[in-house]
Amino acid sequence: MSRGRSRSTTRRGFAVLGVAIRRERWVFAASTLGSVLFGALTVADAWVLGWATDHAIVPAFRDGEVGTGVLWTVVALFVGVAMLRAVGIVARRLGAGVMQYRMQAHDRRAVTRQYLALPMAWHQRHPTGQLLSTASSDVEAAWGPIAPLPMAVGTIAMMVIAVAQMLAADVVMAVVGLLVFPAVVATNLIYQHFTSPLMTRAQALRGEVSEIAHESFDGAMVVKTLGREPEETERFAAKALELRDVNIRAGRIRAAFDPTLAALPNLGVLVVLAVGVSRVLSGATEPGDVVTVAYLLTIVSFPIRSLGWLLGEFPRSVVGFDRVRAVLGATGEMAYGDRSFPHPDRGARLEVAGLSYSHADDQTLLRDLDLVVEPGRTVALVGATASGKSTLTSLLARLVDPDSGAVTVDGVDLRDLARGELAGTLAVVPQTAFVFDDTVRGNVALGAAVSDEAVWHALRTAQADGFVAALPDGLDTRLGERGTSLSGGQRQRLALARALVRRPRLLVLDDATSAVDPEVEARILAALRRDGGSDGTSDDEAAAPDTTLVVVAYRKATISLADEVVFLADGRIADRGTHAALLARNPAYARLVNAYEQEHPLSDEPAGPVTPGTPGTPEEARP
Amino acid sequence: MSTVSPSGTRMDTGEDIAALETIRRGIRFSPELTEGFRTTLLLAVLAAVGQVVVPVAVQQTLDHGLGAAGGPDVRFTVLMGLAAAAAIAVTGVASYLMTSRLFSTSERGLATLRTKAFRHVHDLPLLTQNTERRGALVARVTSDVDQVSQFLVFGGLLFIVSLGQMAVATVVMAVYSWQLTVVVWVCFAPLFLSLRFFQRRLTAAYATVRRQVGAMLSAISEPVVGAAVVRSYAIEARTQRRIDEAVAAHQAASTRAQGLTAFSFSLGGISAGLANAGVIVIGIQLGLAGELTAGRILAFAFLVTLFVGPVQMGTQILTDAQNALAGWRRVIGILETPADLVDPGETGHDLPRGPLDVRFEGVTFAYPGGPPVLHDVTLHLAAGTRVAIVGETGSGKSTFAKLLTRLMDPSAGVVRLDGVDVREIRGGALRRSVVLVPQEGFLFDDTLRANLRYGRLDADDAALEAAAAELGLGDWLAGLPRGLDTRVGQRGESLSAGERQLVALLRAQLADPDLLVLDEATSAVDPALEMRLGRALEQLMRGRTSVTIAHRLSTAEKADEVVVVDGGRVVQRGPHAELVAQPGVYAGLHASWTAQHGDPAGSR
């Protein structure tokens, strides 16, 4: 933005328009042609009237009669000129519209491509509401001057002709009259100077207003339950009022700019008259020449006004353009390699070596982690709240890259993989499920070519088939934005089905069943248990037989499925081994996973064996 | 909470409000818009008159001053020059004052409108908010409002002035020749008639444009919020396709509307051509009949331009206004969507401090168009008791919590707190006394301190730390590198899901409610912490009525009473020890729970 200040807003405004003209030169040409046609035919109207006077009115009153042919010609000329002028109007306005909307759509596509390409770290710094404002308000502002552009360009021809005629009539008066132009430039510079900072602020405020609205609507539940509507409204109103004040200040300047521009040619006429009278009195010029120059100056006043409409849009346009460029110029996209996996048909081997990761504010979240999971094995990640488990799953899914060390799958560093390759192999089910504004089918398949049977199969494994079947349109039921019309547990199961339907070779569950109640979770676990539980309910093989499984879990039933347990504490691996071994030798681990029993010892109860295939049947009830 | 409601309550789109009605209602929501209207209108008329005076004065100077027979008349020229200068000054000042007054009233009116609409979104039931996509809601308080401003400054008033100019021009024309005036009006009649036709089309076209803006923002916001999913499933291409479709739909709608606008506007010029031709042709006929002179016909032809100018200006304003009106309608649409949860306001009941007595009397709840989620529930929870609600996912537990905290009102029956129908309790009093801690605590992109203060606005750091200590979270707070100054990120995403739940609990602790409702509020924290929290929450529940939606039966075991919900009905209730001994739903849930936390590995 500082670079923008150093150059004049007017020049930058023209540069922005240059971008649009170069990209849409034909549409621009058509609409400018329309504008020229309109201008020419406006002049033609006067000519037609003159023709009608000479050929119809005068002869008619002279002769006391008039020929029908002449009258029809008058009608044809007037209507013909009007029709052509209408064509000009349509070409100018529609052309400007097409050009404007094409540029907007182009930028919106480019901006949203950036949103999708930029890394998570960038998104964490840029609130959703701001990004929405850039895609809508800033893009709109950037291309705002396109609307008055053809008119301004079209009238410039008029101005050039008028100036040439003025010079031909009387050079001294013409030069005096042409002083209007430097005055226009000066007025414009003053306007841009005062308006630009206000427009910069206004666009930023538009972003902030959008940001508060988005965040506040997003957190509507909390706002409502804590009765904070008045405070939220105050927070929003503060920005809305600031935007109002900036807009009013900018508006006052605009209110002075427009009439000043309109007055300049008129003042020019007065000066020309003053000079003209003295020149006529001194015999230096003829009264007719004064009339010509004065008349031509009034003709110039319209182009100057239409130029004013164009220039008036510049400050906002330049600011919008800069804000859009800032997004387009943002870097930090993840680099991808070109490697693919060597064995795409069997469980993946996961290796984490010397992995460290710290947050933007220097908070180290993971320190020097080493971990190997052989194909088909199940590893449980156990650790206290905020011990780094979710950070690790983000690294496994390559949502972020490590500060040092590497994650490799089947011997390939994730950073060397081709774009999209990892997603075909690994699926992560996050703690907080995200549901798209789409049908159930769309949410599970996410565009992958999978049959309805496969979708139902995955839903069954995730224990989501029951509630989906009960939805009014089954798989075709649309779920609201962010799936808020489903309960937390239902969303988690949908997210699980989404992972399962892809038959991943490496499945990472990040506490993905925390909102599901135990009974349902037990059924999910039973379906996921590959080598059969005590009663072998292996009717399901949604995960390929030797899918490698990494599970973040607290519940012992989940942990006990694992071949190995990795116990995380403060971003390090504190211990690893089987659940039983850790339980026996690591008191911190035992405290963590046995917390429920310690609170309420189930000493009188032999724990298990359980039948996860038929949980919830009352015969397990204990008196 | 198990049913989606595709046919759920919809936000009023406002699309069927007529143009003048839109302005009328808009003014009702933003009374600032009419402030000082007469003065502004006077200034507008002054500016309009001045615009005509300047060229006339110049014309007079040229014709009679400079070009006077027998050399330039200096005196006349100077006089007229001064008159023109005065007219320029008056025009400039009047139009400056008019425009800046208009900017001021418009922006003030729109800020009020924006804020009212924002507030009203929060007053709508969660149900309505869910059916309207988030991005589209944001569009209504941002982009839709922005559209109105241009119209208010450069449209509305100038349209009235144009009408005035048309009237004046008509009168002047009629003085010259009433017959030709009729001709002019007949020539313009098709335009005026077609305007109605085009207005309807334009209204529909711009309504589509505004709707597409909302849809586009929704399509853009979704993958931004769900950035992690989009990346981990590598569905960028599909997501981009969805966005591109929305962008293209908006582009197509805008272009179509612009085409209609251009076409409709161009008709004015054709009418003007017809009128000019008509004046000459009919004028000649009248002249031949001895009614008019040639000079009068020509003078009349110039008068027609005085009529055509404002007609074209008016047509342009009218067509351009449609976009603004479409935006305005959508904002008004929000404000006119009834807030189902009507706050009785100051006439409502207050709640006394102290634990609340809760009654459900024949409460049934169904989402619009869906089957009942709760059937005829009648239940009494005595003041000061700790109640656990258990049941399978989708059994209606969360609905129960939402009715209890008046996030929704029942379809039938009454929820009473201390004997008062919740619908008759003042909103502020209800929120003061009743707090729900949801499963996913939403955090604002701010510091931890600001987020905790959401529970009690005047809490100082000491109070926040004390609250954390009371819940046994002092270590956690102390362990954060920046303590209360920690930035939590958008939606609190810099914290783990478990930590976000801790913040939600701390907020409730600070809010100090008389009825505490916990909806699986500790599902994402580790077991050791959960048990610690459980003990702390017991402290918190002392002296209050508490309802806990539990997915861990350890909570149920400690409750004074367990309410078992199944298929939207209360099927069992009583203390844990009693229920677990009976065959039934509770015993089944309990068995499953023990299976989960028993240790199969150890037992093999």
Side-chain angles (χ1 to χ4, degrees):
Chain A
M1 209 119 303
S2 57
R3 193 174 58 93
R5 283 282 160 70
S6 61
R7 291 168 59 189
S8 96
T9 307
T10 315
R11 274 174 57 196
R12 299 212 54 226
F14 280 117
V16 172
L17 278 178
V19 172
I21 293 170
R22 273 193 297 281
R23 189 170 292 131
E24 299 293 343
R25 54 175 72 94
W26 297 115
V27 183
F28 171 70
S31 64
T32 306
L33 218 61
S35 175
V36 171
L37 188 67
F38 171 76
L41 291 168
T42 304
V43 178
D45 241 3
W47 176 80
V48 173
L49 186 60
W51 190 91
T53 311
D54 294 346
H55 294 85
I57 300 176
V58 175
F61 280 90
R62 188 185 58 217
D63 307 337
E65 60 170 6
V66 68
T68 327
V70 173
L71 291 184
W72 280 115
T73 312
V74 169
V75 172
L77 278 175
F78 270 117
V79 174
V81 165
M83 299 275 250
L84 272 178
R85 195 171 45 202
V87 170
I89 291 176
V90 172
R92 168 165 62 86
R93 297 198 65 159
L94 187 57
V98 167
M99 187 169 165
Q100 194 175 12
Y101 301 133
R102 277 196 188 174
M103 292 308 294
Q104 285 182 3
H106 174 273
D107 269 10
R108 285 185 175 129
R109 283 192 293 266
V111 162
T112 51
R113 266 171 183 71
Q114 270 298 89
Y115 291 170
L116 289 173
L118 286 166
M120 294 300 290
W122 187 86
H123 277 277
Q124 277 151 11
R125 289 195 308 270
H126 294 83
T128 311
Q130 287 276 5
L131 301 187
L132 286 185
S133 188
T134 297
S136 94
S137 175
D138 290 336
V139 167
E140 211 169 275
W143 306 117
I146 292 179
L149 177 65
M151 174 76 114
V153 175
T155 52
I156 281 176
M158 233 155 112
M159 214 151 79
V160 171
I161 293 167
V163 168
Q165 286 181 333
M166 268 155 75
L167 288 170
D170 183 299
V171 176
V172 176
M173 274 190 296
V175 169
V176 171
L178 291 180
L179 287 177
V180 165
F181 289 97
V184 166
V185 171
T187 309
N188 179 52
L189 284 178
I190 295 169
Y191 168 72
Q192 310 282 6
H193 174 78
F194 284 108
T195 309
S196 292
L198 291 176
M199 285 300 167
T200 308
R201 186 77 196 112
Q203 279 309 102
L205 280 168
R206 282 198 172 85
E208 287 170 35
V209 166
S210 164
E211 176 188 336
I212 293 176
H214 192 276
E215 187 182 44
S216 195
F217 296 162
D218 219 3
M221 172 90 160
V222 169
V223 174
K224 216 180 249 291
T225 51
L226 289 169
R228 290 289 171 253
E229 292 94 338
E231 286 77 18
E232 282 297 290
T233 307
E234 211 171 282
R235 184 161 81 105
F236 179 83
K239 285 290 172 214
L241 295 185
E242 207 182 330
L243 175 61
R244 174 197 74 180
D245 293 342
V246 171
N247 276 341
I248 291 177
R249 277 162 61 200
R252 292 225 168 96
I253 298 174
R254 182 74 192 256
F257 176 63
D258 285 354
T260 306
L261 272 193
L264 283 176
N266 288 333
L267 288 172
V269 169
L270 291 186
V271 176
V272 165
L273 281 182
V275 175
V277 167
S278 67
R279 279 176 70 82
V280 169
L281 289 176
S282 70
T285 193
E286 293 296 309
D289 291 335
V290 184
V291 174
T292 306
V293 173
Y295 175 71
L296 289 170
L297 259 181
T298 57
I299 289 202
V300 166
S301 82
F302 180 70
I304 286 181
R305 286 180 76 176
S306 75
L307 209 58
W309 294 327
L310 180 71
L311 296 173
E313 293 289 322
F314 274 11
R316 191 163 171 238
S317 158
V318 169
V319 174
F321 186 79
D322 282 342
R323 288 171 62 90
V324 170
R325 288 296 119 168
V327 170
L328 295 183
T331 52
E333 293 169 67
M334 279 195 166
Y336 292 89
D338 52 4
R339 296 194 60 181
S340 54
F341 286 113
H343 306 292
D345 48 355
R346 59 177 202 224
R349 180 179 189 275
L350 171 70
E351 187 174 350
V352 170
L355 196 70
S356 292
Y357 181 77
S358 55
H359 207 270
D361 58 3
D362 304 331
Q363 187 186 358
T364 305
L365 298 174
L366 290 178
R367 262 178 271 250
D368 202 21
L369 235 64
D370 292 296
L371 177 69
V372 174
V373 187
E374 295 297 340
R377 303 265 291 176
T378 299
V379 164
L381 292 175
V382 179
T385 299
S387 58
K389 305 178 300 289
S390 292
T391 308
L392 181 55
T393 60
S394 311
L395 284 156
L396 296 185
R398 212 191 162 206
L399 290 179
V400 288
D401 279 332
D403 298 338
S404 61
V407 179
T408 58
V409 170
D410 286 349
V412 185
D413 189 320
L414 297 189
R415 287 167 292 201
D416 296 334
L417 285 169
R419 185 188 269 273
E421 179 72 12
L422 184 62
T425 287
L426 170 144
V428 176
V429 185
Q431 212 164 14
T432 312
F434 184 86
V435 175
F436 288 92
D437 175 29
D438 200 343
T439 59
V440 174
R441 183 190 292 102
N443 262 292
V444 173
L446 290 183
V450 287
S451 65
D452 278 10
E453 289 74 43
V455 171
W456 277 116
H457 193 78
L459 288 170
R460 207 151 40 237
T461 310
Q463 302 295 315
D465 54 331
F467 79 81
V468 171
L471 293 174
D473 300 312
L475 288 184
D476 293 310
T477 309
R478 273 198 94 83
L479 304 174
E481 191 183 58
R482 308 198 64 196
T484 24
S485 41
L486 295 180
S487 77
Q490 289 170 332
R491 272 183 281 164
Q492 283 196 333
R493 282 177 281 165
L494 207 60
L496 187 59
R498 177 187 291 163
L500 293 174
V501 83
R502 309 180 120 65
R503 298 181 160 264
R505 299 191 297 121
L506 173 57
L507 179 61
V508 181
L509 304 182
D510 183 4
D511 201 14
T513 48
S514 60
V516 174
D517 33 38
E519 194 166 349
V520 179
E521 191 191 30
R523 281 186 241 140
I524 295 172
L525 293 178
L528 277 179
R529 188 190 299 239
R530 292 150 294 116
D531 46 1
S534 48
D535 65 350
T537 49
S538 52
D539 66 319
D540 200 297
E541 54 282 314
D546 55 354
T547 291
T548 310
L549 199 59
V550 176
V551 189
V552 174
Y554 296 127
R555 296 182 190 173
K556 279 205 272 183
T558 321
I559 298 170
S560 62
L561 280 174
D563 301 304
E564 189 186 19
V565 176
V566 172
F567 179 43
L568 281 175
D570 294 329
R572 297 171 195 274
I573 296 181
D575 207 344
R576 66 176 83 191
T578 62
H579 174 57
L582 287 187
L583 215 47
R585 72 163 178 256
N586 193 320
Y589 177 77
R591 253 197 318 278
L592 185 71
V593 300
N594 280 337
Y596 298 124
E597 290 82 348
Q598 282 158 359
E599 179 74 11
H600 185 95
L602 301 166
S603 50
D604 59 336
E605 184 193 34
V610 289
T611 53
T614 54
T617 43
E619 65 258 27
E620 278 290 314
R622 182 175 55 91
Chain B
M1 202 50 223
S2 63
T3 348
V4 283
S5 50
S7 59
T9 323
R10 284 274 162 200
M11 198 74 77
D12 195 337
T13 57
E15 278 169 23
D16 45 358
I17 312 174
L20 281 176
E21 184 61 17
T22 307
I23 296 172
R24 204 182 60 76
R25 291 192 205 177
I27 288 171
R28 206 179 64 218
F29 288 118
S30 313
E32 295 92 338
L33 293 178
T34 55
E35 273 173 29
F37 179 76
R38 280 177 208 179
T39 314
T40 314
L41 185 62
L42 193 73
L43 288 166
V45 170
L46 212 57
V49 171
Q51 272 166 20
V52 180
V53 168
V54 175
V56 170
V58 171
Q59 193 67 42
Q60 290 295 315
T61 316
L62 294 177
D63 288 357
H64 303 296
L66 210 58
D73 180 344
V74 178
R75 219 180 91 80
F76 185 81
T77 307
V78 170
L79 273 179
M80 285 315 282
L82 288 176
I88 291 171
V90 169
T91 310
V93 171
S95 82
Y96 163 73
L97 288 177
M98 172 195 76
T99 315
S100 74
R101 285 170 69 94
L102 281 175
F103 263 114
S104 173
T105 51
S106 309
E107 290 296 332
R108 282 188 298 129
L110 293 181
T112 305
L113 184 71
R114 223 190 268 275
T115 309
K116 278 186 182 165
F118 174 87
R119 172 62 205 239
H120 198 77
V121 169
H122 276 305
D123 287 341
L124 292 171
L126 286 175
L127 201 56
T128 315
Q129 293 180 7
N130 292 344
T131 54
E132 178 80 4
R133 292 171 295 181
R134 202 90 66 218
L137 270 182
V138 174
R140 292 211 193 189
V141 295
T142 57
S143 153
D144 283 340
V145 176
D146 289 339
Q147 303 306 316
V148 187
S149 135
Q150 281 281 318
F151 166 71
L152 288 179
V153 177
F154 297 106
L157 192 66
L158 290 182
F159 182 69
I160 297 176
V161 172
S162 299
L163 288 183
Q165 287 174 326
M166 274 166 65
V168 171
T170 305
V171 170
V172 176
M173 286 191 308
V175 168
Y176 272 72
S177 162
W178 65 267
Q179 298 97 327
L180 289 183
T181 309
V182 171
V183 169
V184 169
W185 271 90
V186 166
C187 288
F188 274 95
L191 172 73
F192 296 140
L193 293 177
S194 77
L195 274 182
R196 285 187 66 81
F197 169 80
F198 276 105
Q199 289 305 298
R200 268 204 306 279
R201 299 257 163 146
L202 282 166
T203 301
Y206 280 105
T208 311
V209 171
R210 298 317 307 164
R211 210 165 42 234
Q212 295 295 353
V213 170
M216 183 174 74
L217 290 193
S218 283
I220 295 172
S221 80
E222 194 180 56
V224 171
V225 176
V229 186
V230 171
R231 275 159 191 73
S232 55
Y233 283 89
I235 51 167
E236 284 91 348
R238 172 179 186 264
T239 310
Q240 188 66 57
R241 203 164 53 241
R242 280 160 64 114
I243 295 175
D244 287 354
E245 278 165 18
V247 169
H250 171 254
Q251 186 189 354
S254 304
T255 308
R256 199 188 110 75
Q258 181 69 15
L260 260 176
T261 305
F263 187 66
S264 147
F265 177 57
S266 71
L267 290 182
I270 295 180
S271 292
L274 273 178
N276 281 330
V279 164
I280 303 291
V281 172
I282 308 286
I284 289 173
Q285 307 293 350
L286 288 170
L288 293 181
E291 302 250 350
L292 278 176
T293 63
R296 267 187 120 66
I297 296 175
L298 279 178
F300 199 92
F302 284 110
L303 286 180
V304 172
T305 59
L306 285 186
F307 183 75
V308 170
V311 168
Q312 285 188 331
M313 180 60 114
T315 324
Q316 174 160 6
I317 292 170
L318 213 53
T319 47
D320 288 347
Q322 292 307 319
N323 187 31
L325 290 176
W328 214 352
R329 282 191 187 98
R330 285 176 68 80
V331 188
I332 293 171
I334 282 193
L335 287 165
E336 293 189 345
T337 303
D340 295 6
L341 305 173
V342 183
D343 180 352
E346 293 309 312
T347 60
H349 288 261
D350 275 325
L351 286 172
R353 290 307 315 249
L356 292 173
D357 171 275
V358 179
R359 267 177 206 282
F360 271 55
E361 292 170 4
V363 171
T364 296
F365 181 83
Y367 289 97
V373 189
L374 280 186
H375 301 267
D376 195 25
V377 172
T378 297
L379 193 68
H380 176 229
L381 311 174
T385 48
R386 279 179 295 167
V387 180
I389 311 244
V390 298
E392 275 210 54
T393 305
S395 57
K397 289 175 299 186
S398 289
T399 306
F400 192 88
K402 284 180 182 153
L403 292 172
L404 192 56
T405 51
R406 208 181 173 215
L407 288 178
M408 311 185 298
D409 278 336
S411 314
V414 184
V415 178
R416 290 183 195 280
L417 299 178
D418 269 3
V420 184
D421 186 335
V422 287
R423 286 169 291 203
E424 287 162 14
I425 300 171
R426 198 166 54 79
L430 184 73
R431 297 299 170 216
R432 166 78 203 75
S433 300
V434 180
V435 165
L436 168 76
V437 183
Q439 192 168 33
E440 283 169 22
F442 184 92
L443 269 60
F444 294 86
D445 186 7
D446 204 328
T447 60
L448 186 60
R449 174 183 296 105
N451 271 287
L452 292 177
R453 276 197 187 146
Y454 229 72
R456 190 166 83 220
L457 297 173
D458 58 356
D460 57 13
D461 285 7
L464 300 182
E465 277 154 16
E470 273 174 58
L471 279 186
L473 297 173
D475 294 351
W476 167 71
L477 190 58
L480 292 170
R482 301 197 181 178
L484 288 170
D485 290 318
T486 306
R487 300 283 312 188
V488 302
Q490 284 194 71
R491 292 173 286 275
E493 281 165 4
S494 298
L495 301 183
S496 73
E499 289 174 305
R500 291 200 289 273
Q501 290 192 334
L502 300 184
V503 173
L505 282 171
L506 278 168
R507 279 176 181 161
Q509 158 96 357
L510 287 159
D512 186 25
D514 294 317
L515 169 60
L516 177 65
V517 184
L518 302 171
D519 187 358
E520 314 208 350
T522 55
S523 60
V525 303
D526 68 70
L529 182 54
E530 187 176 17
M531 298 321 287
R532 241 163 60 209
L533 278 171
R535 284 190 290 276
L537 286 173
E538 269 179 67
Q539 293 293 322
L540 177 60
M541 289 167 186
R542 193 152 296 158
R544 314 171 200 274
T545 312
S546 70
V547 175
T548 310
I549 310 255
H551 67 301
R552 304 229 204 282
L553 296 206
S554 59
T555 319
E557 287 175 30
K558 287 186 213 113
D560 298 323
E561 185 171 25
V562 178
V563 173
V564 186
V565 187
D566 192 43
R569 294 174 199 277
V570 174
V571 291
Q572 284 176 296
R573 58 178 298 185
H576 164 78
E578 203 175 284
L579 292 185
V580 83
Q582 306 168 352
V585 178
Y586 188 72
L589 287 167
H590 187 260
S592 160
W593 177 70
T594 0
Q596 289 270 310
H597 293 285
D599 193 347
S603 68
R604 268 180 199 158

